[in-house]
Amino acid sequence: MGVMAADEPVERVFQALCDGRLTRDDLTARKLAAFLGQTTMVLYHHYGSLDGFLIRVDGAGWRMLAEGLEARARAGADARALAVYYVEFALRRPDLYWLMAERRFDRARLRDEGRLRLARPLWGAFVGLLGRYGSARPAEDTHVLFAGLHGIAMLTLSGRANLGEDPAADHEVAFAAARRLADLVLPPRPAEPAAPAAPPAPPAIEGCTLRRSR
């Protein structure tokens, strides 16, 4: 049985949740060990517990979400587009998102073991992003926006927001709700300042361009 690098099991399980090869029902020590081709000791030796392992997978999911939001913000997306991206992220990766936002962890124990070191920096990245989008109270607005977007995503995934029989239409309703929530929480993003106009060309004399003095 080969020896695995400490991050390799996390990456393999993360990717399998992303593409649907693992589901939330597979997130037990026995099933994960079988998927990895190892004994359960691979989880307990490197990560202390099943929670210690899964919180690493959870963190990979939040980093992926944060990086996706940041990339769209840098490309000029407005707050409505970011809200839609959050909901779309959840709908496309339901089992990963369940781990990230629904599974219960013994957070007190994980904190005592020093396994929540990334939680505050990641949350700070989201708060900072909302600050850049004009929030006067970014910490509060991050809670409000995430709570609302999570509710939209979970109602859609559970089918409890299903008023019809067309899943694609249900997704469009979810995206519309996400846009509306962004409008309620955040002000419109100010337009980027226009680039300064180029100085006018000097007048031409006899087919030549005047040279500027140095």
Side-chain angles (χ1 to χ4, degrees), residues 114-201:
R115 298 184 184 276
L116 295 181
R117 291 187 297 272
L118 289 179
R120 192 170 296 278
L122 275 171
W123 184 253
F126 293 124
V127 173
L129 181 61
L130 263 66
R132 284 155 48 199
Y133 273 75
S135 170
R137 294 178 293 184
E140 293 178 26
D141 286 345
T142 301
H143 279 286
V144 172
L145 190 59
F146 270 47
L149 294 174
H150 174 67
I152 292 167
M154 292 309 299
L155 284 170
T156 305
L157 287 170
S158 70
R160 287 174 172 81
N162 185 351
L163 302 180
E165 299 298 330
D166 183 357
D170 292 337
H171 287 194
E172 287 305 317
V173 170
F175 298 152
R179 295 185 192 100
R180 178 62 178 147
L181 180 62
D183 288 341
L184 292 172
V185 174
L186 291 171
R189 194 176 193 188
E192 296 291 334

Side-chain angles (χ1 to χ4, degrees):
M1 192 175 295
V3 177
M4 305 179 76
D7 287 340
E8 184 183 348
V10 172
E11 179 64 20
R12 286 180 60 186
V13 170
F14 170 69
Q15 291 297 335
L17 283 170
C18 282
D19 61 28
R21 287 179 291 123
L22 288 177
T23 72
R24 69 194 68 181
D25 294 332
D26 296 315
L27 301 182
T28 66
R30 181 178 60 81
K31 289 183 178 181
L32 289 174
F35 171 78
L36 295 168
Q38 301 285 313
T39 70
T40 56
M41 283 306 297
V42 72
L43 306 179
Y44 296 104
H45 176 70
H46 291 297
Y47 308 99
S49 64
L50 177 61
D51 267 14
F53 175 75
L54 290 177
I55 202 68
R56 292 280 297 276
V57 183
D58 163 279
W62 284 111
R63 284 194 300 276
M64 183 181 184
L65 176 58
E67 289 168 1
L69 290 169
E70 179 64 30
R72 283 156 180 77
R74 290 184 180 276
D78 61 16
R80 302 170 104 225
L82 297 191
V84 168
Y85 174 73
Y86 181 107
V87 173
E88 189 175 27
F89 180 98
L91 299 184
R92 287 187 173 184
R93 306 166 183 84
D95 293 293
L96 174 64
Y97 184 72
W98 175 86
L99 173 66
M100 293 164 55
E102 289 283 299
R103 186 187 184 276
R104 290 183 178 273
F105 286 94
D106 186 346
R107 298 186 74 84
R109 178 181 175 183
L110 292 172
R111 188 175 294 108
D112 290 343
E113 294 174 351
R115 298 184 184 276
L116 295 181
R117 291 187 297 272
L118 289 179
R120 192 170 296 278
L122 275 171
W123 184 253
F126 293 124
V127 173
L129 181 61
L130 263 66
R132 284 155 48 199
Y133 273 75
S135 170
R137 294 178 293 184
E140 293 178 26
D141 286 345
T142 301
H143 279 286
V144 172
L145 190 59
F146 270 47
L149 294 174
H150 174 67
I152 292 167
M154 292 309 299
L155 284 170
T156 305
L157 287 170
S158 70
R160 287 174 172 81
N162 185 351
L163 302 180
E165 299 298 330
D166 183 357
D170 292 337
H171 287 194
E172 287 305 317
V173 170
F175 298 152
R179 295 185 192 100
R180 178 62 178 147
L181 180 62
D183 288 341
L184 292 172
V185 174
L186 291 171
R189 194 176 193 188
E192 296 291 334
I205 298 178
E206 297 178 352
C208 298
T209 302
L210 290 174
R211 295 181 180 271
R212 296 184 182 273
S213 59
R214 295 185 179 179

